[in-house]
Amino acid sequence: MKEIFKITVSLTAVCVVASLILGFVYAKTEHARKLNEEKTEQQTIQGLLGYGAGEKIPSDLKVYPVYRYVITSDKGKTLLGYVLPIKDNKVVLAEMDLSGNPLKIIPITVEPSALSDKAKRDNAVNAVLPKGSKSLYAQTVFVADMGGKRLGYVVPGVTQGFKSFIKLMVSLNPDFTVTGVAVTSAEEDPGLGAEIQKSFFRNQFVGKTIELLKKLKVVKEPLPPNYAAALDPAKAKAKGLTPEQVKEIKEKHLKDNIYALTGATISSRAMTNGVVSTVKKFVYRLDKLNEAIKKEQLSVAF
Amino acid sequence: MNAKQFSNLALLIFLPIFLFLMVFPALVHAATGSGSFKKDTEIQISFGVPVDETWAKDTANYRVFQKTDPDIEIPVTSVTLSPRRTSAVLQFGEALNLSSEYEVQANNVTSDGKVLGNEEFLVKKSEGQILFTIFLGAMLINNFVFTKYLGLCIFFGVSQKKETAIGMGITFTIVMVLSAIMCWALLTFVLHPLHLGFLQIIVFIGTVAIFVQAVDTILRKVNPYLFKKLGVYLVLIVTNCIILAVPLINADSGNGPFESLTLGLGAGLGFALALFLMSCVREKLELCRVPAVFRGLPIAFVVAGLFALSFLGFSGFSIF
Amino acid sequence: MIPKPEWAVSVSPHIRKGISTSWIMWTVSASLMPALILSIYNFGFRSLIITLISVVSCMLVEAISQKALGRSASIKDGSSVLTGILIAFVIPPGVPYYLPIIGAVPAIFIAKELMGGLGYNVWNPALVGRAFLQASFPVAITTAWIAPQQLSKGVWDIFLRPGTVDAISTATPLSVVKQYGMTALTQQFGGLDSIYWNFFLGFKPGCIGETSAALILLGGLYLMARKIITWHIPVSTLASAALIAWIFGGQTWFSGNPLVHVLSGGLMLGAFYMATDYVTSPTLKSAQIVFGVGVGALTVLIRLKGGYPEGVCYAILLMNCLTPAMDEWFKPKRFAPPKAAPVAASK
Amino acid sequence: MNRNLKLIWNGLIPENPIFRLALSMCPAVAVTTSVENGLMLGLAVVFVQVFSSCTVSIFKSFIHPRIRIPAYVIVIALWVTVIDMILPVISPDVYKKVELFVKLIVVFAIIISRLELFASKEPLVPSFFDGMGMGFGFLFGLCLIGAIREFFGTGQLLGYDILGFNPLLIMVLPAGGFFVIGFIMATFNWFEYKITGKIPTSGGAH
């Protein structure tokens, strides 16, 4: 009996000590891990805006997240709620109905930096809503601002790929011309569909205006070799193309459709549909949001 | 108790679990009454009463949108009514995202000339479909051994004899199903409420170890013969990645109780299948003139590679 | 490991019949020649060259590996020739010339010689080669199709310029069905009758030796007449493929088109020449029927629900995985089983 | 030779945990589609092996023999969780690919078997070097497989494009991983046969 007691005590001691050490390490690393995650996201966004690795990021470039919620009001109506950053480092929840008419603007009493955590943000939104209404998080878009002028937008999207979902991000300039496409997660076949992540495919979207996007198709023709070289910065360098030549080739092919990847038409089409529908939805919503902001004379930060 | 009786017993245990998993969610689903996807461009909704054909065929009577995009309607291109006029299939011009939720609002539902009011339908993949997909995925499409490389140590260690392979496979499946559900319960009711998610590795391995110890003790008392046959494997189970991987994957993808159970069952049966097939081939290899430097593990790896090559045929398989 | 006996003594009765392994291999190879000739007519001399490259490289790999493993050379038995022909028959005619050379290595060395040589392999060597190529060069294997009857449009052109795969690529009927649906295929061929007729005769894009159902059927019937293969596996394969295609192939249940599935792709070639391989299919007739049903069903399921437009290769490989187990399950009962030893009382 | 150096050499080649002892094979195939992944997981294993060996060696007299195994498991799980928290801070991108297998280090038979066979009997310093040896042996194995698979599968090494095309894509798929390990093991056997004249029998696998 005494031995059992001894064993139990020592095992418990081992467990307790282990948990304490873990608790300590957890407390030390958790913050750093979260920061790191945010940093990766920031880097993707900055890369899309044209500030890739190694390039200096201007100090007045600011990226503001705008969170969209679907709110079911206490009377059972469906509304949209935008969590918007406004001047003086404050945040508001702007409600509007489904056709885009602004309804109410409610200040949120949380630091903007705390909003990146989903649980905290959900709580903050629910706290300012009247009792009985429900909120459902829908999407985050990013607005980039440089020295008080809008530099562009970064919009996440998702599309059904060959095997599972392809998550992507599209960056647009203020006239809704695509400036970059990034694939954040995809499980396509290596060597076939996985090529959507290669720059020669992604960069085909760059420069396409909203009008071009609306009638964009996927064609099963082979990609012209010099266009392929121009689309891939590494290849362009290897081939000795000057930036002017690259620009010229790209302009020549600007109105082309998307050339499908050989053997992976489904993935190419999925990617194209994803980019087009993401941009279309975003542009539709942004127009409504801009109108509402103007109407309500909201002093948004961007 | 010989291997055959043992496998019969295992069948008796698994069949009810499997049927329960397939049927129960379907019952729950049927009770709420909602729409379902027919294809990636079709949604089926049922009204419960026969509706008027002229009303039903008018696409303007429907508002369809993704749950998170209520402001963007998806235009209905055409509607087909079932012969008894109680259910309709809505067709769309664009492909729907089958893993997200859609809402269908039918305005002024009209039956026999009377307006019954508006009706709303929530459309998502049914629970049964999701579970079946998980099951088939874990067992064949992404077989844990041949595509995820889990449990290789045991896989190569005990696949020399068919008899042991069968026994091991069944024991594994039992332990995996039970530990999957136990780990789910611990994670949901203890670790998450206390914000101790970072302790999951210790807790999971502890759970598996305690569980194996319990099976060991109970078997020793209840059925000494079976214990003698399986005792060796029981110790091996604790230090096997496939057992721990199931709760970890469940925790990572936030699976509910049914999903956790199904993943455990699918992974376990997939492992048993892999073990059995491998043991059949290896028994045959005993009689073959395998080159000397390849004898033993190297040829086993090559054979596993050939299995993996064959299982590539399942890649991209989707039933629904 | 069984010690090698000095004299081979088989079970009585000791009566010799004039059938040897090499005779079977050469007969099977010969019965494939009509399909090869049609393919030269369809796709040009390119298909002959690929077949020759494949045969030569298979023989070379066999010779080298047997030398390296210290085995007596058995090139003359013709098994590597047959494997070479079959590898070439299941790859598209437009592939680069180095592809069959690479495919010969896994087929002969990994799938056959490592497992102990002819008679011991578990998986069909030619199909292992094909699956290996499919995994390694997915783009070439899925796009290098040539539209039939290039003969009239300059056969030497294709032959002389091996790098022009992109320019001559087209889509196989099965990938048309997979991507655009059955109606697109009907439009392309201008009616169902035309589909059946062209598929049966072999005027469609496809792998080198699989296009003509008629010629393969002819070869298969010849093999049956010479009693080299039996009807069990081919018939059960085709029947189950037709059944599954009829049930699941259409918009609603029981509305699929079984004939298109049976005639298209490599199902005929697989059913008569690959699934019937002596070594990799079950020994007993009842097991063979189950094997065939499995091959047919898996083929159509992979075509309809899987990630590839064609599933014959993987279906046969998957059923090969089951062959050793099936030999065990269908083992005939012994007439007088030994009494079960009394279970020792546990301590 | 110095005993400590000998312990490290022992883990690297003669008793290489992957190719000779055939312990903990799962990660060897799963994560090694590139050198980078192999390196990451290998370093995690070195960390866990060294720290658990040292911990067990220091506290061996306090651990009751009957609870030895559970205590070892807890010690390993402790260091695994620690590295699991540290890695995402150091290199989030690679961690994402090897995440599941870092967590699964807890059940790697190699670690617990070294604790049982070595660290529970020997003093701290040899245990440290034994842990280093086994860990680096594992790291070496993973990097070797990773290099072969990355080079043949994608034509790259450590992420740098060398060939510019994919020579044999199958190498990054599961089947290719099995083939590579089988062939490396056979090569090890062949070398041993050339040196000692005997065909070795490969170790028990688990």
Side-chain angles (χ1 to χ4, degrees):
Chain A
M1 205 56 213
K2 205 182 153 208
E3 189 158 289
I4 283 197
F5 183 68
K6 218 168 140 190
I7 289 172
T8 321
V9 168
S10 55
L11 248 188
T12 319
V14 171
C15 289
V16 169
V17 172
S19 313
L20 283 179
I21 297 177
L22 285 185
F24 178 74
V25 178
Y26 178 73
K28 285 278 165 211
T29 54
E30 181 59 12
H31 184 62
R33 191 175 63 80
K34 273 204 177 136
L35 267 184
N36 232 331
E37 269 170 22
E38 273 171 37
K39 218 172 120 194
T40 336
E41 195 186 65
Q42 285 290 328
Q43 271 169 358
T44 318
I45 293 168
Q46 283 161 357
L48 278 173
L49 290 169
Y51 300 99
E55 270 181 71
K56 223 181 130 215
I57 294 154
S59 58
D60 54 352
L61 171 73
K62 293 214 172 66
V63 177
Y64 297 100
V66 173
Y67 308 99
R68 183 166 59 82
Y69 277 78
V70 177
I71 298 170
T72 317
S73 74
D74 42 352
K75 291 173 196 95
K77 273 194 107 175
T78 313
L79 310 169
L80 291 181
Y82 286 96
V83 178
L84 294 169
I86 55 168
K87 294 245 156 71
D88 307 324
N89 213 13
K90 280 189 189 130
V91 192
V92 292
L93 175 70
E95 283 184 356
M96 51 165 67
D97 67 8
L98 292 184
S99 41
N101 302 318
L103 297 172
K104 251 192 296 184
I105 289 157
I106 316 163
I108 294 180
T109 50
V110 176
E111 277 288 300
S113 55
L115 287 174
S116 57
D117 187 71
K118 187 177 178 289
K120 280 185 192 160
R121 187 175 66 231
D122 286 355
N123 281 340
V125 169
N126 283 331
V128 297
L129 288 174
K131 244 190 165 172
S133 40
K134 272 185 282 178
S135 71
L136 172 77
Y137 166 73
Q139 194 193 19
T140 311
V141 298
F142 300 90
V143 183
D145 178 281
M146 177 118 79
K149 262 179 78 184
R150 282 193 207 180
L151 183 73
Y153 312 95
V154 177
V155 195
V158 65
T159 177
Q160 169 75 55
F162 183 53
K163 278 186 186 166
S164 64
F165 291 96
I166 302 171
K167 285 186 184 158
L168 49 94
M169 274 189 160
V170 187
S171 65
L172 301 166
N173 70 9
D175 339 318
F176 306 128
T177 303
V178 178
T179 57
V181 173
V183 178
T184 46
S185 91
E187 283 175 47
E188 303 302 286
D189 281 336
L192 287 167
E195 304 279 299
I196 52 167
Q197 314 206 13
K198 293 266 173 78
S199 50
F200 75 84
F201 183 75
R202 286 186 291 118
N203 285 347
Q204 290 187 39
F205 293 101
V206 174
K208 300 260 190 288
T209 58
I210 179 86
E211 283 75 34
L212 284 176
L213 277 182
K214 275 180 184 159
K215 35 185 195 192
L216 196 62
K217 273 195 212 113
V218 177
V219 288
K220 281 180 81 176
E221 288 157 32
L223 189 66
N226 66 339
Y227 186 34
L231 288 171
D232 190 346
K235 246 189 198 166
K237 218 175 174 186
K239 264 194 155 185
L241 292 174
T242 59
E244 289 78 43
Q245 280 171 315
V246 169
K247 213 176 151 197
E248 196 185 315
I249 298 171
K250 277 187 181 166
E251 246 160 48
K252 200 180 112 202
H253 290 280
L254 184 64
K255 290 195 174 152
D256 285 12
N257 281 315
I258 299 295
Y259 294 97
L261 294 163
T262 356
T265 325
I266 297 178
S267 302
S268 317
R269 213 176 282 152
M271 192 63 188
T272 311
N273 287 343
V275 171
V276 171
S277 74
T278 305
V279 173
K280 268 195 336 214
K281 278 184 190 172
F282 171 74
V283 170
Y284 169 82
R285 284 200 182 109
L286 190 79
D287 278 343
K288 304 256 154 146
L289 185 65
N290 277 339
E291 259 172 45
I293 289 172
K294 222 182 208 171
K295 220 176 189 174
E296 294 289 309
Q297 290 175 340
L298 201 60
S299 57
V300 283
F302 41 80
Chain B
M1 191 154 167
N2 59 26
K4 191 154 188 190
Q5 282 170 312
F6 185 53
S7 54
N8 285 343
L9 178 80
L11 205 68
L12 271 180
I13 298 173
F14 291 137
L15 214 62
I17 299 182
F18 190 74
L19 287 177
F20 174 75
L21 279 175
M22 294 297 120
V23 174
F24 179 74
L27 292 179
V28 175
H29 189 241
T32 54
S34 46
S36 60
F37 295 112
K38 261 201 102 191
K39 273 195 319 197
D40 62 349
T41 54
E42 285 180 5
I43 283 178
Q44 183 166 34
I45 50 174
S46 58
F47 300 102
V49 286
V51 291
D52 287 357
E53 194 166 346
T54 43
W55 172 85
K57 292 259 164 149
D58 186 1
T59 54
N61 285 325
Y62 303 94
R63 274 196 78 225
V64 186
F65 51 85
Q66 219 167 335
K67 199 93 203 302
T68 51
D69 291 342
D71 52 337
I72 294 174
E73 276 184 48
I74 302 162
V76 180
T77 49
S78 68
V79 183
T80 17
L81 202 58
S82 71
R84 291 169 68 192
R85 293 187 290 130
T86 51
S87 73
V89 176
L90 312 181
Q91 274 114 359
F92 304 93
E94 56 186 286
L96 306 171
N97 176 349
L98 294 194
S99 72
S100 72
E101 296 178 8
Y102 285 80
E103 206 170 305
V104 177
Q105 291 178 348
N107 296 326
N108 305 324
V109 179
T110 316
S111 171
D112 297 333
K114 269 191 293 182
V115 176
L116 299 176
N118 299 350
E119 216 171 325
E120 279 181 20
F121 304 89
L122 184 66
V123 187
K124 58 177 176 185
K125 245 192 202 173
S126 78
E127 191 78 357
Q129 286 176 336
I130 294 173
L131 290 184
F132 191 69
T133 311
I134 291 180
F135 177 77
L136 215 64
M139 187 170 157
L140 294 177
I141 302 165
N142 293 317
N143 185 293
F144 272 41
V145 179
F146 295 133
T147 64
K148 291 195 173 158
Y149 306 104
L150 292 165
L152 283 192
C153 324
I154 301 273
F155 176 67
F156 288 119
V158 300
S159 59
Q160 267 134 343
K161 285 270 164 299
K162 213 174 296 159
E163 182 114 330
T164 43
I166 295 173
M168 193 69 180
I170 292 166
T171 322
F172 251 83
T173 316
I174 297 173
V175 176
M176 272 161 95
V177 169
L178 294 172
S179 64
I181 194 79
M182 265 165 73
C183 288
W184 173 81
L186 274 174
L187 190 74
T188 324
F189 299 120
V190 182
L191 292 183
H192 276 168
L194 297 176
H195 298 287
L196 289 175
F198 62 93
L199 285 181
Q200 49 167 253
I201 300 177
I202 287 198
V203 171
F204 287 171
I205 187 91
T207 313
V208 174
I210 290 172
F211 183 73
V212 170
Q213 194 62 48
V215 171
D216 186 288
T217 317
I218 294 169
L219 262 190
R220 197 192 293 261
K221 287 266 158 22
V222 176
N223 193 338
Y225 179 73
L226 193 62
F227 172 74
K228 235 176 139 186
K229 280 213 129 166
L230 298 179
V232 202
Y233 313 139
L234 282 172
V235 187
L236 285 178
I237 289 177
V238 186
T239 54
N240 193 282
C241 33
I242 199 164
I243 299 264
L244 194 66
V246 171
L248 282 175
I249 292 173
N250 275 331
D252 194 46
S253 47
N255 281 345
F258 292 119
E259 281 101 333
S260 302
L261 201 60
T262 319
L263 188 74
L265 188 66
L269 291 180
F271 185 65
L273 177 76
L275 262 183
F276 175 65
L277 293 180
M278 187 71 180
S279 65
C280 290
V281 174
R282 282 182 86 176
E283 278 191 3
K284 196 177 166 183
L285 279 180
E286 292 283 301
L287 308 172
C288 297
R289 300 175 296 157
V290 176
V293 289
F294 272 92
R295 230 165 273 152
L297 274 179
I299 191 72
F301 265 95
V302 172
V303 168
L306 288 168
F307 270 117
L309 196 64
S310 316
F311 270 67
L312 272 182
F314 286 122
S315 88
F317 218 76
S318 62
I319 300 287
F320 303 111
Chain C
M1 180 70 187
I2 292 173
K4 209 177 168 205
E6 278 177 55
W7 299 282
V9 180
S10 60
V11 182
S12 58
H14 296 228
I15 298 173
R16 281 177 57 92
K17 202 184 168 208
I19 294 182
S20 64
T21 312
S22 61
W23 181 81
I24 293 177
M25 295 295 169
W26 289 113
T27 315
V28 176
S29 305
S31 74
L32 284 166
M33 286 308 114
L36 181 62
I37 292 166
L38 178 84
S39 131
I40 298 171
Y41 172 71
N42 262 346
F43 309 125
F45 277 104
R46 209 190 156 82
S47 53
L48 179 66
I49 305 239
I50 286 192
T51 313
L52 285 178
I53 291 178
S54 175
V55 169
V56 171
S57 45
C58 277
M59 288 170 77
L60 270 178
V61 172
E62 174 146 298
I64 293 170
S65 49
Q66 282 178 341
K67 185 99 187 153
L69 299 173
R71 290 197 183 126
S72 54
S74 60
I75 299 280
K76 281 186 211 139
D77 70 12
S79 70
S80 56
V81 175
L82 180 59
T83 306
I85 295 177
L86 286 177
I87 292 179
F89 271 29
V90 290
I91 55 179
V95 294
Y97 289 138
Y98 59 80
L99 229 63
I101 305 177
I102 295 175
V105 178
I108 299 289
F109 183 61
I110 295 182
K112 201 166 89 181
E113 293 302 326
L114 276 191
M115 309 287 258
L118 181 68
Y120 296 103
N121 49 317
V122 179
W123 284 272
N124 187 314
L127 290 176
V128 168
R130 148 87 202 205
F132 191 93
L133 291 177
Q134 165 99 55
S136 300
F137 306 96
V139 173
I141 287 280
T142 42
T143 55
W145 313 107
I146 298 178
Q149 275 164 319
Q150 292 283 332
L151 197 65
S152 52
K153 294 170 200 161
V155 50
W156 296 107
D157 209 38
I158 301 165
F159 165 51
L160 289 173
R161 283 192 278 125
T164 52
V165 171
D166 279 336
I168 48 179
S169 77
T170 169
T172 61
L174 279 173
S175 55
V176 170
V177 171
K178 184 117 196 158
Q179 280 188 27
Y180 307 99
M182 192 61 206
T183 38
L185 187 71
T186 327
Q187 273 171 15
Q188 188 187 331
F189 278 84
L192 265 181
D193 289 339
S194 156
I195 291 184
Y196 296 145
W197 193 237
N198 278 308
F199 280 22
F200 184 69
L201 291 181
F203 300 112
K204 57 170 186 178
C207 296
I208 290 177
E210 70 177 22
T211 51
S212 169
L215 292 180
I216 292 166
L217 201 62
L218 205 68
L221 289 177
Y222 172 71
L223 292 185
M224 274 188 210
R226 299 304 299 259
K227 297 219 165 75
I228 291 176
I229 59 172
T230 56
W231 59 270
H232 301 83
I233 291 180
V235 170
S236 57
T237 303
L238 297 177
S240 83
L243 187 73
I244 299 283
W246 177 58
I247 297 176
F248 297 110
Q251 295 283 342
T252 54
W253 285 22
F254 304 105
S255 69
N257 190 329
L259 214 50
V260 167
H261 273 279
V262 169
L263 291 176
S264 62
L267 191 62
M268 279 283 179
L269 187 70
F272 282 101
Y273 284 91
M274 309 223 177
T276 50
D277 181 9
Y278 288 152
V279 191
T280 59
S281 62
T283 329
L284 281 153
K285 301 289 175 247
S286 49
Q288 284 182 351
I289 289 181
V290 176
F291 181 89
V293 168
V295 170
L298 277 173
T299 302
V300 177
L301 281 179
I302 291 175
R303 282 179 185 176
L304 294 174
K305 305 279 182 191
Y308 305 102
E310 171 60 307
V312 181
C313 166
Y314 288 110
I316 297 177
L317 285 176
L318 282 166
M319 290 314 286
N320 284 164
C321 296
L322 282 173
T323 302
M326 282 196 332
D327 274 336
E328 190 73 16
W329 287 333
F330 289 88
K331 203 162 53 180
K333 287 240 161 48
R334 276 196 275 180
F335 282 123
K339 275 201 185 118
V343 175
S346 51
K347 280 152 200 160
Chain D
M1 213 192 313
N2 185 323
R3 184 177 178 219
N4 295 336
L5 278 181
K6 212 170 184 173
L7 280 173
I8 290 190
W9 170 248
N10 187 40
L12 268 179
I13 305 288
E15 285 190 23
N16 186 296
I18 293 183
F19 304 124
R20 308 299 294 129
L21 303 180
L23 287 168
S24 320
M25 305 297 319
C26 330
V29 220
V31 300
T32 49
T33 49
S34 70
V35 184
E36 205 180 16
N37 293 359
L39 204 64
M40 188 75 155
L41 190 75
L43 286 176
V45 172
V46 172
F47 174 87
V48 175
Q49 178 78 70
V50 168
F51 273 79
S52 339
S53 280
C54 292
T55 317
V56 167
S57 176
I58 294 170
F59 296 104
K60 59 177 177 288
S61 50
F62 297 100
I63 299 172
H64 194 285
R66 276 187 60 189
I67 57 155
R68 177 174 99 243
I69 299 293
Y72 293 166
V73 170
I74 292 171
V75 169
I76 298 170
L78 164 69
W79 293 117
V80 169
T81 315
V82 168
I83 194 73
D84 186 49
M85 290 172 190
I86 295 174
L87 278 186
V89 177
I90 301 171
S91 173
D93 294 344
V94 185
Y95 174 75
K96 236 188 245 163
K97 288 179 212 152
V98 300
E99 183 180 0
L100 180 64
F101 286 88
V102 168
K103 290 186 169 130
L104 287 176
I105 293 178
V106 82
V107 285
F108 283 10
I110 171 72
I111 293 173
I112 201 159
S113 77
R114 279 339 271 183
L115 297 188
E116 171 83 15
L117 295 175
F118 201 91
S120 60
K121 296 175 194 127
E122 301 273 342
L124 177 63
V125 176
S127 300
F128 173 79
F129 281 101
D130 181 66
M132 288 287 259
M134 281 297 150
F136 278 111
F138 202 84
L139 180 77
F140 163 68
L142 289 187
C143 288
L144 180 64
I145 303 171
I148 294 175
R149 291 182 67 187
E150 189 178 353
F151 182 74
F152 285 108
T154 61
Q156 300 177 337
L157 262 184
L158 270 170
Y160 292 104
D161 218 329
I162 291 179
L163 293 179
F165 61 96
N166 307 338
L168 269 183
L169 201 65
I170 194 173
M171 288 301 175
V172 294
L173 298 178
F178 283 115
F179 289 147
V180 169
I181 296 186
F183 277 92
I184 296 180
M185 278 181 160
T187 317
F188 266 64
N189 283 353
W190 187 73
F191 275 125
E192 188 154 337
Y193 170 69
K194 284 280 151 191
I195 293 166
T196 64
K198 265 190 304 191
I199 298 268
T201 47
S202 7
H206 52 78

